[in-house]
Amino acid sequence: MTFQVVCEIEPPTTPDLKKVRHQIGTLSSIASSFLIPDNHIGRATVSSVAVAHEVEMMGGRSIACLNSRDRNLLGFQRDLLTAAAYGVDQFLFVYGDKPTSGNRTSDLTVRSMIEEARAFDPAFRVGAAAGLKPLPAFKRAADFVFVQASFSLDALLRWRAENPVDVPVYAGVLVLASHNHARRLAAAIPDIDIPDSLVEALATDRMAGVDAACELVTSIQESGAFAGVHLIPVSRYRDVESRLSRSLRA
């Protein structure tokens, strides 16, 4: 199976899709498909299903992320109907970050979303997200698994060896855009281990985060342990495309 690069799109927080289209166009040279977050980091964004449809209209393959935090069962059924009408058939179901406004709903879980989607249309491909800890049994039944972003190849390989599954598994790779971005991320997500050397490098080299992420993608590909990567380029998608397009061709 060809090594897959699933590029995450920075979702729009306004009705203007110009930047989304530019991301899709720029990353198309390296992306096997695009993941569209759902109300990313607890902020309201344009519907992931709508942006996934935009990806499909531009000739790409899309994965719409849907979280259990923001919807009840009826709202979820509406999203599945909308996706079917738009021709969107791949989903990543997640719990969802803490919202910046409003409350979390409790009507759905990732497990119930998987069951509901499969009952709605068995042709849908549904994925689940995994932390670097034992994989729950119900997530093993997903069609694919996205592993939490890490900066350590050893940690990813160790998790893979300890959690064998027969479905495609994608390792998370996050680009650190700046020294401040690294510090904010470390404060917001305590269990993500960012090497001190990388944080220090970012203070003087704006490309350090891009270089580290692209090198990790190459190492993951060479390991043969994963079907591909879930690449989160954030605002540095132009630099990532330029750097990674050369590495993947090499």
Side-chain angles (χ1 to χ4, degrees):
M1 182 178 180
T2 304
F3 188 78
Q4 305 283 302
V5 178
V6 181
C7 290
E8 183 168 313
I9 295 294
E10 276 283 281
T13 56
T14 71
D16 186 0
L17 297 183
K18 189 181 304 180
K19 184 177 178 182
V20 163
R21 296 186 183 108
H22 189 264
Q23 291 178 71
I24 297 166
T26 299
L27 292 168
S28 289
S29 66
I30 62 171
S32 309
S33 57
F34 294 90
L35 176 71
I36 299 87
D38 180 31
N39 286 350
H40 192 43
I41 58 175
R43 301 172 303 169
T45 61
V46 173
S47 163
S48 60
V49 174
V51 178
H53 176 58
E54 190 74 18
V55 170
E56 301 283 339
M57 291 290 288
M58 291 182 66
R61 287 290 288 143
S62 64
I63 302 171
C65 184
L66 296 175
N67 69 67
S68 65
R69 178 195 61 211
D70 300 334
R71 45 184 55 83
N72 58 19
L73 179 57
L74 185 61
F76 182 53
Q77 291 171 338
R78 172 206 58 208
D79 290 328
L80 295 177
L81 279 168
T82 303
Y86 277 167
V88 174
D89 60 3
Q90 294 194 100
F91 305 91
L92 176 67
F93 296 144
V94 299
Y95 182 61
D97 302 307
K98 182 178 179 180
T100 56
S101 61
N103 297 314
R104 182 186 294 275
T105 69
S106 58
D107 205 21
L108 295 171
T109 64
V110 172
R111 185 199 297 259
S112 66
M113 291 170 76
I114 291 174
E115 293 170 351
E116 186 70 25
R118 287 199 163 135
F120 180 89
D121 187 343
F124 280 165
R125 294 191 72 246
V126 299
L132 292 176
K133 52 190 178 184
L135 188 65
F138 79 90
K139 290 187 178 182
R140 293 175 179 273
D143 294 310
F144 54 89
V145 174
F146 277 29
V147 182
Q148 157 190 332
S150 175
F151 296 89
S152 168
L153 176 63
D154 288 342
L156 288 167
L157 293 177
R158 186 164 53 250
W159 181 91
R160 189 72 178 96
E162 293 171 353
N163 296 273
V165 289
D166 295 329
V167 300
V169 179
Y170 300 90
V173 177
L174 172 65
V175 177
L176 293 174
S178 66
H179 182 258
N180 287 337
H181 180 215
R183 293 181 63 183
R184 288 196 306 270
L185 190 69
I189 312 175
D191 63 344
I192 190 167
D193 188 13
I194 304 174
D196 292 337
S197 59
L198 179 54
V199 177
E200 292 168 5
L202 281 160
T204 57
D205 180 3
R206 68 180 297 272
M207 287 295 288
V210 172
D211 290 341
C214 292
E215 288 167 9
L216 181 55
V217 170
T218 302
S219 296
I220 291 169
Q221 181 182 26
E222 290 173 348
S223 77
F226 294 88
V229 293
H230 163 212
L231 179 62
I232 311 164
V234 294
S235 61
R236 303 300 298 277
Y237 61 92
R238 298 176 189 84
D239 295 322
V240 168
E241 187 280 332
S242 176
R243 172 80 160 74
L244 199 56
S245 61
R246 296 193 299 270
S247 299
L248 292 174
R249 283 198 298 265

